[in-house]
Amino acid sequence: MNVPLWLALIIVGWLGIKLTRPPVWLVLVLLAGGYLLADSFLAPAINSVAK
C-alpha cells in the first residue's frame, strides 16, 4: 500500500501529540525536518539505515 508522504506526516504528528503530549513546536520541527531530509541527498543513506 502506498501512502502519500504528507498523509503519513499528518498521521504521525497527530498520534505523537495525542499519545505523548510533547510541545507542539517540537512535533512541527521534527516533522518538517523529516520531510526536508526525505527529499535531500541524504535520503538513500537514511533509507538504508531505516530498513
Side-chain angles (χ1 to χ4, degrees), residues 30-46:
L30 291 174
L31 290 175
Y35 183 78
L36 293 174
L37 281 176
D39 289 334
S40 72
F41 67 93
L42 296 174
I46 295 170

Side-chain angles (χ1 to χ4, degrees), residues 4-50:
L5 179 59
W6 61 268
L7 180 61
L9 289 175
I10 290 171
I11 292 170
V12 168
W14 181 78
L15 286 173
I17 291 170
K18 290 294 182 185
L19 296 176
T20 61
R21 300 283 184 195
V24 176
W25 65 266
L26 180 61
V27 173
L28 294 175
V29 167
L30 291 174
L31 290 175
Y35 183 78
L36 293 174
L37 281 176
D39 289 334
S40 72
F41 67 93
L42 296 174
I46 295 170
N47 190 23
S48 65
V49 171

